[in-house]
């Protein structure tokens, strides 16, 4: 049995890396460019030191899919106006979580 299929169908229990890996592989299997991203989500702001603190509990994995220029929903980029010309010319990576 394929390990990804076994995880998704028979044993869908685990941490975010399992789910992100499975989704990326499924997307790639149907020709959608996808990548797994590892980083930190959240964090706590330290008002005394005026900085964000990240701990292991904030570690997270998610998937990004590449959208070619003609598929980028430009209305979703209004928060970052400088990104619109780049997305129109180069495409963009869309986060899936």
């Amino acid at each position: 049995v394929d390990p990804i299929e076994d995880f998704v169908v028979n044993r869908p229990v685990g941490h975010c890396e399992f789910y992100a890996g499975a989704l990326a592989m499924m997307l790639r299997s149907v020709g959608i460019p996808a990548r797994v991203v590892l980083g930190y989500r959240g964090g706590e702001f330290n008002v005394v030191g005026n900085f964000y603190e990240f701990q292991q509990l904030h570690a997270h994995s998610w998937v990004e899919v590449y959208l070619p220029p003609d598929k980028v929903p430009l209305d979703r980029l209004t928060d970052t106006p400088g990104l619109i010309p780049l997305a129109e010319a180069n495409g963009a990576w869309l986060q899936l979580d």
Side-chain angles (χ1 to χ4, degrees), residues 14-48:
H15 50 80
C16 55
E17 288 178 353
F18 291 176
Y19 290 95
L23 178 57
M25 295 305 292
M26 288 187 288
L27 290 165
R28 290 176 182 176
S29 74
V30 294
I32 300 172
R35 63 186 180 190
V36 174
V37 181
L38 307 172
Y40 292 91
R41 184 175 193 142
E44 298 171 9
F45 187 71
N46 182 313
V47 293
V48 175

Side-chain angles (χ1 to χ4, degrees), residues 1-93:
V1 175
D2 178 71
I4 301 293
E5 180 182 353
D6 186 46
F7 167 70
V8 172
V9 175
N10 300 321
R11 296 183 204 130
V13 178
H15 50 80
C16 55
E17 288 178 353
F18 291 176
Y19 290 95
L23 178 57
M25 295 305 292
M26 288 187 288
L27 290 165
R28 290 176 182 176
S29 74
V30 294
I32 300 172
R35 63 186 180 190
V36 174
V37 181
L38 307 172
Y40 292 91
R41 184 175 193 142
E44 298 171 9
F45 187 71
N46 182 313
V47 293
V48 175
N50 198 32
F51 61 87
Y52 281 94
E53 180 178 13
F54 296 91
Q55 299 176 18
Q56 183 61 34
L57 65 98
H58 300 116
H60 189 54
S61 298
W62 61 93
V63 174
E64 292 182 349
V65 296
Y66 176 75
L67 299 176
D70 62 325
K71 302 291 184 197
V72 176
L74 296 177
D75 60 323
R76 307 250 341 246
L77 297 175
T78 55
D79 292 340
T80 316
L83 212 55
I84 293 174
L86 289 173
E88 286 179 326
N90 303 316
W93 287 93

